Amino acid sequence: MNLRLARLHHPVTTLGPGRRIGIWVQGCGIGCPGCVARDTWVAGPQHDIAVADVLAWCAAHADGTTGVTITGGEPSEQPAALGELVHGLRALDDDWDVLCYTGVEWDEFRRRCPEAYPGIDALITGPFRITEPTDLLWRGSANQRLIPCSERGEQRFGEWANAERERPELQLQVDDERVWMIGIPGRGDLARVQRALRDQGIELEGVSWRP
Ligand code: SF4
């Protein structure tokens, strides 16, 4: 089974608790105005990768990993591949927690992804709404909900459901010619990142948060 994949990162420390593997799927038809990940909207055959290969990459990055965050893109648009991925992650390490972002609400995610849902510990649900800024931890807008979906999810995510971040946290990772921003930017953060990079002599030619 193939997954349409945008990218993989490790370690990710700004999208969920602990030290995580981050899996960004490719393809999203929701189209939230102000989305910072516009580069993940359109999927094509060049994004196809075997789920087994993604799992092998995760196994190679298991050392010190406490959980996996699946985001995108819209994971629920690939229900069969997501189901295989989540079950494979469970088989790799049953102590990892799995957090999944989705632009749809909880009941719609469950309806779309009956195979993946039982293996997911927590969901962050709902579309990004640029008109509803928030300081809620790991969320981009105030409508988005952090929902524990399992006993482990309750243990690891329950206390954060209504928590606010003390300060915005963003990671920057540099691969070849690209700078990847990981985390949920607050108001003005994107311009600040761009200015800070410019001060270091790095000029961004294109960014994922503008068409
Ligand atoms: S914020 Fe998420 S759901 Fe909304 S358009 Fe961007 S990738 Fe899709």
Side-chain angles (χ1 to χ4, degrees):
M1 167 98 42
N2 281 345
L3 176 76
R4 293 189 298 273
L5 179 75
R7 55 188 178 269
L8 300 163
H9 286 291
H10 178 271
V12 171
T13 57
T14 53
L15 295 172
R19 185 179 162 90
R20 312 180 69 79
I21 286 170
I23 301 174
W24 278 255
V25 303
Q26 186 74 26
C28 179
I30 297 176
C32 308
C35 170
V36 296
R38 295 179 66 100
D39 58 315
T40 65
W41 284 9
V42 179
Q46 71 274 24
H47 298 110
D48 281 357
I49 181 173
V51 171
D53 290 344
V54 177
L55 292 169
W57 189 93
C58 294
H61 292 80
D63 209 19
T65 293
T66 61
V68 179
T69 297
I70 303 170
T71 183
E74 176 50 47
S76 72
E77 291 181 6
Q78 304 185 58
L82 183 67
E84 187 172 312
L85 175 66
V86 168
H87 289 291
L89 291 170
R90 279 274 158 264
L92 274 182
D93 190 325
D94 195 41
D95 193 49
W96 286 353
D97 62 72
V98 177
L99 167 67
C100 185
Y101 280 76
T102 174
V104 300
E105 302 300 340
W106 173 78
D107 50 349
E108 175 65 9
F109 183 90
R110 280 192 71 179
R111 191 189 64 75
R112 289 187 186 191
C113 302
E115 292 172 16
Y117 182 80
I120 289 173
D121 296 299
L123 284 170
I124 291 183
T125 64
F128 170 66
R129 293 191 185 137
I130 197 168
T131 53
E132 299 182 36
T134 185
D135 286 324
L136 283 169
L137 192 61
W138 304 320
R139 279 151 284 180
S141 57
N143 62 298
Q144 293 178 322
R145 296 174 62 206
L146 168 56
I147 304 174
C149 309
S150 69
E151 198 176 322
R152 178 183 9 233
E154 279 295 347
Q155 289 166 0
R156 299 196 189 172
F157 293 88
E159 65 180 300
W160 306 113
N162 296 308
E164 296 191 348
R165 52 187 173 179
E166 290 172 13
R167 57 183 175 3
E169 288 191 339
L170 292 175
Q171 287 177 262
L172 291 182
Q173 286 195 356
V174 182
D175 297 343
D176 300 328
E177 296 180 343
R178 293 186 171 206
V179 180
W180 299 106
M181 182 191 65
I182 303 172
I184 306 291
R187 285 230 164 153
D189 284 347
L190 298 175
R192 274 192 285 278
V193 166
Q194 205 158 351
R195 277 198 302 275
L197 289 171
R198 190 177 298 139
D199 290 347
Q200 300 296 316
I202 300 169
E203 197 67 48
L204 300 180
E205 291 179 1
V207 295
S208 65
W209 54 89
R210 281 197 297 270

